[in-house]
Amino acid sequence: MNEGLQSKARAIYDKVKDELYLCRPNLKVGNEAYNDHLLFGILTQLNNGTQLVYGPYGGGKTTSSAYLNSMFYGLPLKVVRGAIVRGNPQITKHEVVGRPDYSKFSLGKEEAIWQKFCMMPPKIWDELPRTPESTQAIALAGIEEGSWTTLNEHVYEGRRPFYATANFADRGSNTIIPALKDRFDIATVVGFPGLANSRAISRRYNKEQELILEDDGITEEAEDLMLTGKYKEVHSRLPNLRERFSGVLTSRGIPVLIDQEKKQIDREISEVGLDDLAEAYCTLLTAELNIPQEGDYLRNLLAQTSESRRLDQVVVRYAQSLAWLQGRENVNLEDVLNIAPYALWHRVEWNDAVKGRGSFATYRGADLDLRIAKAMLNEGSTGAEGLKKRLEQNAGNIKELAGLLKEGKEEEAKKLLDGITSTGRTHPFFLDVKRELEDFEE
């Protein structure tokens, strides 16, 4: 691993936290404490991931996302903000993706003028729930693959950082369709920054702190380029502007990751392994969400479950990137415990029985579902054990079973499974392994 790259990524986190998006830590990772929303924002950049950001009006959802896009992509803040889609009830595909070039259209030629949102690789969709459900579907392929179509033209840019913001439900909100929610790797909640930070923020009416992310000359050039609406031309000329602005940021003492370094980080994250406990936890999580079995397993605690394979991928990938950021070559159990709740909670809905348990019943925070996810994926809550507890209870059998299968001792593995599944309460993981061995035998 290149420790210099990790130092740069952590330096960007510190720069944003200390000077731009003032916040306080609420998530312990190893011996360090982070603000969860900002930390996941950094990981989303490193993974070219997707993040859904909930929070109150004026909490910094869109602002923090714009800071990260400006610093990681290397374009002035005004240019980044000019490419944000603003959700509203009347928004159309032409306003999001592109429209006809009317000067050519009148001559019988069909050419597209692409919107800034599509031409800006890292994207922000502000106030997503203000967008009608029928219009949200246009973003499905774009969020996941960077695939956008307008008229007869199509662009494919691959995965890029994508943030969407959402106020907590109010009179003007629509439901975010489940298929769209599932395409967001992670969901975070912007919280109260604390009184000390609030006092500092109250002195920032004119937002002077943002001047370090501005350059009038480069902004004007970039805006003129984006206004052409010509996708290929924009993407052939943007790299030069980005290189110049990255140089401006560096001269101001702002840490920058160039494209080559980000590609190196991507490779290093992919090479991070999972230790046995982390691997077992991820397997049990998948089992409990997908395999029906009586008992207080996760699937039975949900009014709306998730059987998406995207969830499996996200937990592993973001855990790998979190371990990488800490300079470790393997993901441990703490990593997946930190990641899993943020990958799960927006995809599911806990049932009323769970919401009525213990402290959940009296909790009035808008992030109740996240709070429940953190408890049920860890130690549990009043009257119900969490997934981590079930991992501890079954770790011995999981290890023994894995050893037998690795050595090719299938008959002994079947006997072990017969003993485990003969009891009244068997974890769905063992039921599925037994079923696989029986199917293979047939």
Side-chain angles (χ1 to χ4, degrees):
M1 284 187 183
N2 186 336
E3 294 182 3
L5 296 179
Q6 295 151 348
S7 296
K8 274 193 177 183
R10 289 196 293 267
I12 293 174
Y13 172 90
D14 289 337
K15 188 73 172 180
V16 177
K17 172 182 68 71
D18 294 337
E19 299 183 28
L20 294 166
Y21 174 69
L22 305 184
C23 54
R24 61 183 178 189
N26 59 355
L27 182 68
K28 186 177 180 182
V29 179
N31 295 321
E32 300 181 68
Y34 290 89
N35 175 269
D36 58 353
H37 164 64
L38 183 55
L39 172 63
F40 279 104
I42 297 287
L43 298 183
T44 291
Q45 290 285 342
L46 298 180
N47 290 314
N48 283 315
T50 55
Q51 184 171 343
L52 182 57
V53 185
Y54 287 94
Y57 309 113
K61 305 182 297 296
T62 310
T63 299
S64 59
S65 302
Y67 291 157
L68 292 175
N69 278 355
S70 175
M71 294 177 71
F72 272 89
Y73 192 65
L75 278 177
L77 189 58
K78 287 178 184 175
V79 179
V80 170
R81 283 178 166 154
I84 295 174
V85 162
R86 310 286 180 177
N88 66 81
Q90 286 77 42
I91 197 168
T92 66
K93 181 178 180 179
H94 285 172
E95 293 174 280
V96 176
V97 183
R99 61 171 177 81
D101 184 337
Y102 297 118
S103 65
K104 303 284 181 66
F105 199 66
S106 61
L107 301 175
K109 296 181 180 180
E110 192 174 274
E111 291 186 19
I113 296 293
W114 292 91
Q115 296 290 3
K116 294 178 184 178
F117 174 75
C118 272
M119 293 186 293
M120 174 70 71
K123 294 176 171 49
I124 300 173
W125 192 312
D126 190 33
E127 300 289 7
L128 180 60
R130 306 285 185 211
T131 307
E133 295 174 33
S134 58
T135 309
Q136 293 176 22
I138 67 175
L140 292 176
I143 289 177
E144 185 170 33
E145 303 168 356
S147 176
W148 303 95
T149 301
T150 187
L151 303 178
N152 286 323
E153 295 188 30
H154 176 81
V155 296
Y156 178 80
E157 58 186 358
R159 287 182 66 95
R160 293 290 190 272
F162 193 117
Y163 302 97
T165 71
N167 293 320
F168 294 118
D170 60 20
R171 191 172 58 181
S173 296
N174 297 291
T175 301
I176 302 176
I177 60 176
L180 187 54
K181 277 189 176 182
D182 184 53
R183 281 163 171 79
F184 286 103
D185 297 337
I186 293 292
T188 55
V189 177
V190 170
F192 177 60
L195 289 175
N197 285 328
S198 294
R199 293 299 295 165
I201 293 169
S202 72
R203 305 300 196 271
R204 293 180 162 191
Y205 186 79
N206 291 318
K207 300 183 178 181
E208 293 90 346
Q209 76 279 3
E210 296 182 354
L211 292 175
I212 62 172
L213 299 180
E214 298 291 6
D215 182 286
D216 291 341
I218 296 176
T219 295
E220 185 176 354
E221 289 184 57
E223 287 291 351
D224 288 345
L225 176 60
M226 300 284 270
L227 285 173
T228 66
K230 302 302 180 184
Y231 188 92
K232 290 183 179 179
E233 181 180 354
V234 168
H235 279 260
S236 68
R237 293 171 55 191
L238 264 185
N240 175 260
L241 295 175
R242 292 178 55 212
E243 183 178 353
R244 286 164 54 196
F245 187 65
S246 293
V248 171
L249 293 179
T250 300
S251 71
R252 294 172 179 171
I254 299 173
V256 170
L257 285 168
I258 63 174
D259 288 348
Q260 280 183 317
E261 291 174 320
K262 285 186 277 189
K263 289 178 181 178
Q264 177 65 25
I265 289 171
D266 179 73
R267 290 191 292 269
E268 290 186 5
I269 290 174
S270 297
E271 292 169 359
V272 174
L274 277 72
D275 71 20
D276 290 343
L277 273 180
E279 191 78 66
Y281 181 94
C282 292
T283 303
L284 294 194
L285 174 61
T286 301
E288 291 202 11
L289 289 172
N290 291 272
I291 302 168
Q293 169 69 335
E294 292 184 5
D296 271 347
Y297 301 112
L298 294 174
R299 186 183 180 92
N300 300 327
L301 306 180
L302 300 170
Q304 176 183 312
T305 188
S306 172
E307 297 183 1
S308 172
R309 301 284 66 79
R310 292 188 185 96
L311 173 64
D312 304 339
Q313 296 168 346
V314 169
V315 172
V316 171
R317 179 67 184 192
Y318 273 70
Q320 287 176 308
S321 59
L322 184 59
W324 176 88
L325 192 65
Q326 303 304 304
R328 288 185 279 105
E329 296 184 352
N330 283 292
V331 170
N332 60 30
L333 180 58
E334 182 190 41
D335 294 325
V336 290
L337 287 171
N338 276 327
I339 296 296
Y342 295 89
L344 176 68
W345 77 280
H346 62 292
R347 290 178 161 93
V348 300
E349 181 181 344
W350 302 98
N351 61 37
D352 290 340
V354 175
K355 292 180 179 180
R357 288 177 177 173
S359 61
F360 301 149
T362 56
Y363 185 69
R364 294 294 175 261
D367 60 342
L368 175 61
D369 285 344
L370 175 57
R371 190 182 184 91
I372 295 174
K374 288 181 177 180
M376 301 316 298
L377 295 181
N378 204 302
E379 299 289 346
S381 68
T382 305
E385 295 175 342
L387 180 58
K388 181 186 175 186
K389 279 285 187 183
R390 291 190 287 279
L391 171 64
E392 293 169 352
Q393 293 165 359
N394 291 285
N397 284 332
I398 292 172
K399 183 177 181 179
E400 183 179 357
L401 180 61
L404 291 173
L405 293 175
K406 186 176 181 179
E407 295 173 8
K409 299 178 179 179
E410 290 185 12
E411 290 305 317
E412 291 184 39
K414 289 176 185 177
K415 289 180 181 178
L416 175 62
L417 285 168
D418 286 341
I420 294 171
T421 57
S422 65
T423 60
R425 186 179 179 185
T426 303
H427 195 281
F429 163 75
F430 297 110
L431 295 177
D432 193 69
V433 176
K434 184 177 182 181
R435 190 176 299 124
E436 280 198 16
L437 290 177
E438 290 171 349
D439 291 343
F440 180 78
E441 187 178 63
E442 291 174 6

